[in-house]
Amino acid sequence: MEMMKKLLSSICFIALISWLFHLSNVMLFEKQHFGTAKNIDHEEAEKIDVFFIGASHIFYGINPMEIWNDTGISGYNLTTHQQPLWSSKLLLQYALQHQHPKLIVFDVLMATNFGRPLIGTDQGTNMTHLALDPIQLSFQKIKGVLETDSITEKGEMLFPIIMNHSRLQQGLLTYDDFHFFTGDRSHPMKGYNYTESTLWYDHPDIPGTDVLYELPDGIEAVLIDFIEFCRNEKLPLLFIKTPIIGNEELYGQVNKIGKIAEKYEVPFLDFNQLYDELGMDGYVDFADTGHLNVHGAKKVSQYLAEYLKANYDLPDHRGDPDYAGWDRSARHFASLTGLPKTTDVMDFLSSASDPKLLTIILSGGAMERPNVLPEEFRSAAAALGLRHLPESTGEGSYFAIIDRGKVSAEQYFADGVHEEELMVKDTRFILQVSSRKPDGGSYMTALHIEKGGYFSLEPGILIATYDTDRMEPVAAVRYAFDESMTLEHLQY
Amino acid sequence: MLFNSLHFLLFFPFVVGIYFIIPRKIRWGWLLAASYYYYMSWNARYALLLAASTGITWLSGLLIDHCDKETENVKHREVYKKWLVALSFLFNLAILFIFKYFHFGLNALNKILRVFHISAIQSSFSVLLPVGISFYILQALSYTMDVYRGKVKVERNIFKYALFVSFFPQLVAGPIERSQDLLPQILIPHDFDFDRVKRGLWLMLWGYFQKLVIADRLAIFVNTVYGDPSNYLHGGVVNLTALVFFAFQTYADFAGYSNLALGAAEVLGFRLTTNFIRPFFSINITEFWTRWHVSLSRWFVNYLYIPLGGNRVGKLRYYCNLMIVFLASGLWHGANWTFLVWGGLNGMISIVERLLTPIWRKLRKLTGFSDRSGLMKCVQSAYVIFMFGLVQVFFRSETLSQAVDFLKGMLRFDPYDLFNGKLLNYGMDPANFIITELSLLVLFCVSWLQRDGLSLRSKIEAQPLILRWGLIIAAIAAVLFFGVYGPGFDASQFIYFQF
């Protein structure tokens, strides 16, 4: 009996320790907002038809939302920053536990010179961590890591705490580290990383496919291993290379990969050879030499969507309630691209229900010039759950915060200057509202986002939308109370 | 396979699991195989040395026993036995000399030859010091001596004896066990005992805390300062901090290793010698050496100091004996003049303290100061830590001149350096300093709680379950979160592994 008690207590203790150890591993790994290794668990099972795999060129260059909008194909960017080839295989292997994709689209960047610095180096180990740390310890992970020769630091790859524990001492833990166990961890845009950044490049000198350069030592074997893996899993594979501003050697290596693809009967879509056909413009489409911005990604993704539709039997899921997640992501993407340009206040109010956006409404400073809010505005606000919005801005000051689809704060003040402070993840927001101009002072209606911008306005309503995933403001507008009732975009 | 490596964390549970599953009769065989695997994980070829030392001492034991039984002439018997002991010592010390002291000896010889204008002897012999050689050779020799003295029965099974020499928890850095203590434990099978295993694991956890949280963090600062002699000129505060830190690093490192060894052995059912008895709570350096690395001190006392006559000789001879033991201890630690000076300084301090003892007693009587007052204990501890740290400068330095430069640098003492952030330039940020201070506080508390000589583990065991579990989880969390390990840090060897 005594022995049984001790045994039971040991089992409980070991279970508790193992659980805490697991939590520590999860808490401590680095959670970059781009890269979906940490998000894939939160996709509904059996919904993804196409995985786009590769490195950053995928998450900037392929936009599953564009593909969804055009074809209804449910695609997902399964990739992390500088993802080594071997990580791609292990990550895909992990994702296959819950997904049965009909096609794997693989960007071959990391099989070129870009992959060279990752072989047998600390950098390679670090990049492997980004992809593998979010994967829970399992027999499959242990087997995969042990069998992958390119992974030299096997211990720390299985127990990421070995690598990451110093993040705690160095004070590098973020909001996401402590809240990783709760909340919605699905990627807002199915792995796509939105950027408007633009750098200018001249038309690259892209040689024909007959120019061939050797791949870095050891890379070809890993690439073939990936092909073999997909073949064994009976996963159709398509190689692509998104447009890149490179040199002859890089294009030559891409051509070499084309030859390997030909040998293994893997179709290869080199967008560099389609540079002009796509209408790529070096002054518009690139965020830098390798990463496409939202405009470049649109061109490539739309072409790819047509290619997939024409060459593969991939179903159109648009309108299917089981695929509402893609609709939500498409709406989110539309908000990010649309809000900075729209002049319709209703767009802002409708985007407030987006589960990844924070919307802040400030009203004040208009006692001298009261304006009655349009009925349309008021009813849209009521639909969001806002209850205290005054009928006229002349009645006092007001603020509301709609945090990821839910009203988290709403207050009306008859008079005076009021300040509110809130934290969203690691960012501090300071809201100031006043209903009249203080003696000798100016109106105090303002929004200060720490590291994100400062907005203030004369009498009227300020609406700011903030992306809680990228932790960046999307747009801030002043809803002017003049005859035009138009929106004025504020700069930050 | 360091105790703080993932390899060991896989190896140990595997060995323990199999050990308690297999039949009792062959458990020792499993431990022998595991011990040799453990040793060969460093360099398989060095297992030959271990086997050679084992073979020689085992044979010496058999032959001594044979003399005892077969040689009727008492005088001849003693002569033969002495010869056998001498041969065993000669062969083993020859192995030690070749692998540890050859280059040191050759360099010393060449210096002498240079005085006489004789050209230096060149050698192409190059070999890495086999890990733990100084430990297992002393342990093996203790068997020869103990059989000779009749303190232990001869072991006829060479494999069981081989386990005595190679028992993996204490193989590479002690404690150096006497055959009369460890050999009988090898001969009896050990069953699984839940409480014993638990206590062993607790001790190992404490060892990991000492090594990973305290010693390896202090090593960041110490290695940065000692690693660049130009740092010695940066000010006395830096050097003094490095001096104190190295004193604690050595303690936490070696005591941490010893606790891991004791804990691992306890899990398997063995009791090893407690190597550290709260040494920094000693009243002086003389007492310190009876509480620091107890198993080595005991070896030197039993097999060198007593044969030299110990303290049952004239005063001068007594002090000479002391000095010889300390010099031998210094040389045992390393083949370098720095270690010899280190041993000499320790010997000198011990002798001076003995000489001053009567004066100190009189002074205490006159002033009415009690040795037991809290203030006095603090002063004594500070004295012991400082003096130990001071001597350790020679232990840590690569050369004598480096050690002297370090000590000279200490004289440029500017207290302002304590407050101007200068200490943050040596690899440790404020977070590391805070963790260091807190972990040293934990070290102090644990030592203080053991002041009554009772096991802290027994005291913890008497606490409610929630407190026990909380304490263990906190200790594991401290090691995992605040331990110095993983990429970005050198996998620090235990300091005493190099001996």
Side-chain angles (χ1 to χ4, degrees):
Chain A
M1 190 61 192
E2 182 65 19
M3 195 60 205
M4 276 302 287
K5 201 176 146 193
K6 284 176 178 174
L7 195 69
L8 200 66
S9 124
S10 301
I11 291 168
C12 290
F13 184 75
I14 290 167
L16 178 65
I17 288 289
S18 307
W19 180 66
L20 291 174
F21 184 70
H22 165 70
L23 291 188
S24 307
N25 272 294
V26 173
M27 186 181 82
L28 289 171
F29 80 77
E30 196 180 338
K31 296 155 194 77
Q32 295 189 323
H33 89 268
F34 42 79
T36 52
K38 67 185 188 305
N39 308 103
I40 186 65
D41 272 347
H42 287 250
E43 285 300 314
E44 267 188 80
E46 314 288 341
K47 292 287 183 291
I48 297 169
D49 283 343
V50 183
F51 271 129
F52 304 103
I53 302 178
S56 55
H57 288 199
I58 282 285
F59 61 60
Y60 280 118
I62 301 296
N63 184 346
M65 304 306 97
E66 296 283 3
I67 294 171
W68 171 259
N69 288 336
D70 287 358
T71 61
I73 294 169
S74 56
Y76 192 91
N77 290 352
L78 185 64
T79 183
T80 51
H81 181 61
Q82 276 200 305
Q83 184 167 287
L85 294 175
W86 52 87
S87 299
S88 291
K89 179 186 152 186
L90 295 177
L91 193 52
L92 176 59
Q93 200 173 27
Y94 177 67
L96 292 179
Q97 289 179 351
H98 301 295
Q99 303 290 343
H100 287 100
K102 297 177 173 66
L103 176 68
I104 303 299
V105 177
F106 184 72
D107 184 280
V108 297
L109 175 78
M110 300 315 280
T112 66
N113 277 348
F114 278 81
R116 193 198 297 270
L118 306 183
I119 301 170
T121 62
D122 287 349
Q123 192 186 348
T125 301
N126 292 341
M127 295 307 127
T128 307
H129 271 291
L130 288 182
L132 300 193
D133 285 2
I135 298 178
Q136 290 181 18
L137 189 65
S138 63
F139 177 71
Q140 188 194 55
K141 183 175 179 181
I142 294 170
K143 188 168 173 281
V145 168
L146 294 181
E147 285 177 355
T148 305
D149 295 337
S150 307
I151 297 176
T152 48
E153 305 297 331
K154 296 188 192 294
E156 64 181 66
M157 221 48 80
L158 293 174
F159 306 107
I161 197 170
I162 295 174
M163 159 88 173
N164 298 318
H165 71 282
S166 54
R167 292 185 68 228
L168 179 66
Q169 290 170 36
Q170 291 166 4
L172 298 178
L173 295 190
T174 63
Y175 175 92
D176 286 338
D177 293 317
F178 291 101
H179 295 81
F180 196 68
F181 312 98
T182 56
D184 177 15
R185 274 163 45 199
S186 62
H187 196 277
M189 286 185 288
K190 306 296 177 192
Y192 173 64
N193 275 276
Y194 171 88
T195 181
E196 283 267 11
S197 302
T198 307
L199 288 179
W200 293 0
Y201 298 100
D202 290 331
H203 191 295
D205 192 8
I206 302 168
T209 54
D210 54 330
V211 174
L212 300 175
Y213 275 82
E214 284 304 310
L215 302 184
D217 286 345
I219 287 272
E220 190 172 329
V222 187
L223 186 67
I224 292 168
D225 183 50
F226 187 80
I227 296 171
E228 298 286 0
F229 171 75
C230 290
R231 194 171 279 179
N232 291 338
E233 295 288 332
K234 299 189 171 35
L235 291 169
L237 181 61
L238 166 66
F239 277 179
I240 63 165
K241 181 66 220 89
T242 57
I244 184 168
I245 308 292
N247 56 21
E248 188 184 81
E249 185 178 4
L250 183 67
Y251 295 122
Q253 287 181 330
V254 172
N255 291 338
K256 172 77 180 174
I257 294 164
K259 297 288 177 206
I260 296 168
E262 201 178 308
K263 186 177 162 192
Y264 285 88
E265 297 174 341
V266 175
F268 184 36
L269 200 54
D270 180 5
F271 287 102
N272 293 292
Q273 297 298 331
L274 301 166
Y275 194 91
D276 295 324
E277 192 182 332
L278 288 168
M280 296 301 293
D281 182 345
Y283 291 90
V284 175
D285 298 325
F286 286 90
D288 57 39
T289 54
H291 301 127
L292 300 178
N293 59 24
V294 66
H295 310 295
K298 183 175 183 173
K299 290 173 184 171
V300 171
S301 302
Q302 287 182 339
Y303 186 98
L304 183 60
E306 288 307 312
Y307 180 88
L308 296 181
K309 198 171 145 189
N311 292 282
Y312 297 90
D313 183 22
L314 297 166
D316 181 348
H317 293 296
R318 281 174 295 185
D320 183 344
D322 286 347
Y323 288 79
W326 268 266
D327 283 328
R328 272 198 303 276
S329 293
R331 277 201 300 277
H332 180 70
F333 174 65
S335 295
L336 296 190
T337 50
L339 291 181
K341 295 169 194 144
T342 187
T343 53
D344 183 351
V345 71
M346 300 313 293
D347 288 342
F348 276 84
L349 291 183
S350 61
S351 73
S353 61
D354 188 312
K356 299 288 181 181
L357 295 179
L358 179 83
T359 303
I360 295 169
I361 301 171
L362 305 177
S363 167
M367 254 181 171
E368 300 89 338
R369 286 184 285 146
N371 271 270
V372 176
L373 293 168
E375 182 53 35
E376 190 190 20
F377 186 96
R378 291 173 49 73
S379 54
L384 285 171
L386 301 176
R387 298 282 171 263
H388 307 293
L389 194 70
E391 289 196 7
S392 148
T393 55
E395 291 175 19
S397 60
Y398 168 86
F399 75 78
I401 300 157
I402 305 150
D403 188 357
R404 288 161 273 188
K406 288 178 188 154
V407 178
S408 65
E410 187 187 17
Q411 251 182 310
Y412 166 77
F413 307 100
D415 205 350
V417 177
H418 301 276
E419 188 171 297
E420 187 76 14
E421 206 175 290
L422 78 146
M423 287 293 292
V424 177
K425 292 190 175 176
D426 295 323
T427 303
R428 186 186 308 277
F429 289 70
I430 300 166
L431 288 63
Q432 285 178 322
V433 286
S434 64
S435 51
R436 66 173 72 241
K437 189 184 274 188
D439 292 340
S442 58
Y443 291 108
M444 294 289 287
T445 301
L447 169 65
H448 178 214
I449 305 173
E450 201 175 58
K451 297 177 206 161
Y454 179 77
F455 312 97
S456 65
L457 77 165
E458 290 294 298
I461 290 184
L462 185 151
I463 307 175
T465 307
Y466 187 82
D467 183 356
T468 58
D469 183 57
R470 293 181 305 143
M471 301 303 285
E472 281 178 19
V474 178
V477 287
R478 173 176 171 256
Y479 189 29
F481 292 122
D482 51 26
E483 288 69 28
S484 64
M485 300 296 276
T486 53
L487 286 183
E488 178 195 341
H489 280 270
L490 302 170
Q491 297 304 312
Y492 52 90
Chain B
M1 194 194 309
L2 299 168
F3 277 177
N4 54 344
S5 68
L6 197 62
H7 194 173
F8 183 78
L9 291 180
L10 296 172
F11 165 83
F12 184 65
F14 177 73
V15 169
V16 173
I18 301 289
Y19 179 71
F20 287 119
I21 289 170
I22 58 177
R24 300 167 85 220
K25 276 186 176 177
I26 58 167
R27 281 180 189 167
W28 65 268
W30 170 246
L31 278 189
L32 178 63
S35 296
Y36 266 77
Y37 171 81
Y38 174 80
Y39 193 63
M40 287 163 76
S41 69
W42 271 282
N43 189 329
R45 282 177 299 175
Y46 290 153
L48 292 173
L49 291 178
L50 180 62
S53 179
T54 303
I56 292 163
T57 46
W58 176 74
L59 199 62
S60 72
L62 273 188
L63 293 173
I64 290 167
D65 185 58
H66 181 79
C67 284
D68 266 337
K69 285 175 181 161
E70 303 297 329
T71 313
E72 287 177 3
N73 184 317
V74 177
K75 202 175 168 188
H76 286 177
R77 187 165 65 204
E78 282 310 305
V79 171
Y80 292 155
K81 280 168 68 180
K82 276 185 180 162
W83 267 105
L84 287 166
V85 170
L87 281 172
S88 177
F89 268 70
L90 193 70
F91 279 122
N92 277 286
L93 293 179
I95 293 173
L96 197 59
F97 177 80
I98 291 167
F99 286 90
K100 187 166 180 175
Y101 302 106
F102 180 75
H103 289 289
F104 175 66
L106 190 67
N107 287 341
L109 181 66
N110 281 337
K111 275 182 186 163
I112 296 167
L113 291 178
R114 209 178 301 151
V115 174
F116 296 103
H117 303 288
I118 300 170
S119 57
I121 300 166
Q122 300 297 327
S123 164
S124 57
F125 178 69
S126 171
V127 67
L128 274 175
L129 178 66
V131 64
I133 190 169
S134 308
F135 286 91
Y136 66 72
I137 282 195
L138 291 200
Q139 182 156 315
L141 285 175
S142 79
Y143 171 75
T144 301
M145 205 63 173
D146 287 348
V147 172
Y148 169 75
R149 288 175 176 172
K151 286 188 173 173
V152 68
K153 274 173 67 179
V154 70
E155 177 52 52
R156 298 194 177 277
N157 184 331
I158 188 170
F159 297 109
K160 284 187 178 174
Y161 173 72
L163 177 58
F164 159 71
V165 181
S166 66
F167 185 49
F168 77 86
Q170 44 90 240
L171 171 61
V172 291
I176 301 163
E177 290 299 326
R178 291 184 297 193
S179 55
Q180 65 209 74
D181 294 332
L182 185 56
L183 206 46
Q185 297 188 60
I186 284 168
L187 302 179
I188 53 164
H190 303 275
D191 289 327
F192 181 84
D193 177 337
F194 181 86
D195 291 323
R196 192 198 64 228
V197 169
K198 189 174 69 179
R199 288 163 63 85
L201 291 174
W202 284 3
L203 197 55
M204 289 181 80
L205 179 60
W206 175 233
Y208 279 118
F209 182 88
Q210 287 176 300
K211 169 65 179 165
L212 296 176
V213 182
I214 305 176
D216 287 353
R217 175 160 284 100
L218 293 170
I220 298 170
F221 188 92
V222 171
N223 291 345
T224 309
V225 174
Y226 274 98
D228 181 3
S230 66
N231 287 333
Y232 299 174
L233 307 172
H234 288 183
V237 166
V238 174
N239 293 17
L240 185 67
T241 308
L243 178 147
V244 175
F245 274 16
F246 186 59
F248 281 105
Q249 185 203 338
T250 319
Y251 173 61
D253 188 282
F254 196 19
Y257 168 81
S258 294
N259 284 329
L260 281 164
L262 263 70
E266 196 167 348
V267 168
L268 294 163
F270 294 79
R271 283 191 72 84
L272 302 181
T273 307
T274 304
N275 231 1
F276 292 88
I277 310 166
R278 307 189 313 126
F280 288 147
F281 286 80
S282 305
I283 58 167
N284 53 31
I285 291 292
T286 306
E287 189 190 76
F288 174 85
W289 283 111
T290 64
R291 297 163 68 158
W292 175 277
H293 203 174
V294 172
S295 63
L296 179 71
S297 306
R298 194 179 57 188
W299 196 96
F300 276 114
V301 167
N302 282 338
Y303 305 114
L304 183 61
Y305 180 67
I306 291 174
L308 285 172
N311 56 3
R312 293 178 181 176
V313 286
K315 275 250 159 120
L316 189 64
R317 179 78 190 277
Y318 164 50
Y319 293 137
C320 276
N321 288 347
L322 270 180
M323 189 52 97
I324 288 168
V325 168
F326 274 108
L327 286 173
S329 169
L331 208 55
W332 175 88
H333 278 88
N336 195 331
W337 291 107
T338 51
F339 288 108
L340 212 59
V341 171
W342 175 84
L345 283 174
N346 275 310
M348 218 161 69
I349 294 169
S350 290
I351 292 166
V352 169
E353 280 182 354
R354 281 172 168 84
L355 289 170
L356 292 177
T357 300
I359 300 169
W360 175 238
R361 276 198 197 121
K362 275 182 190 164
L363 207 66
R364 265 207 334 258
K365 251 186 190 173
L366 280 173
T367 55
F369 255 135
S370 164
D371 252 356
R372 294 176 177 274
S373 74
L375 178 69
M376 200 58 200
K377 281 180 180 173
C378 288
V379 171
Q380 284 163 344
S381 279
Y383 163 76
V384 166
I385 292 165
F386 178 74
M387 288 307 283
F388 174 67
L390 202 65
V391 178
Q392 286 294 94
V393 171
F394 289 88
F395 190 97
R396 181 61 182 77
S397 299
E398 303 281 331
T399 61
L400 285 177
S401 62
Q402 198 183 337
V404 171
D405 288 346
F406 183 94
L407 293 172
K408 274 187 195 164
M410 270 181 62
L411 300 175
R412 300 167 177 234
F413 192 87
D414 180 357
Y416 180 57
D417 288 347
L418 278 169
F419 307 100
N420 60 9
K422 191 171 190 173
L423 293 176
L424 298 175
N425 297 328
Y426 301 90
M428 275 172 65
D429 57 17
N432 270 309
F433 272 101
I434 291 169
I435 297 169
T436 300
E437 285 156 16
L438 291 176
S439 54
L440 287 176
L441 185 67
V442 171
L443 186 71
F444 169 78
C445 289
V446 169
S447 299
W448 188 75
L449 286 168
Q450 291 170 317
R451 67 195 183 284
D452 52 8
L454 294 177
S455 160
L456 187 58
R457 289 177 288 168
S458 306
K459 291 173 187 170
I460 295 170
E461 220 158 352
Q463 303 303 316
L465 180 108
I466 194 137
L467 201 71
R468 281 194 328 255
W469 283 24
L471 205 61
I472 295 167
I473 289 169
I476 293 173
V479 172
L480 280 178
F481 294 145
F482 302 118
V484 178
Y485 63 97
F489 298 103
D490 286 335
S492 298
Q493 284 223 354
F494 288 88
I495 292 174
Y496 271 69
F497 271 29
Q498 60 188 298
F499 309 134

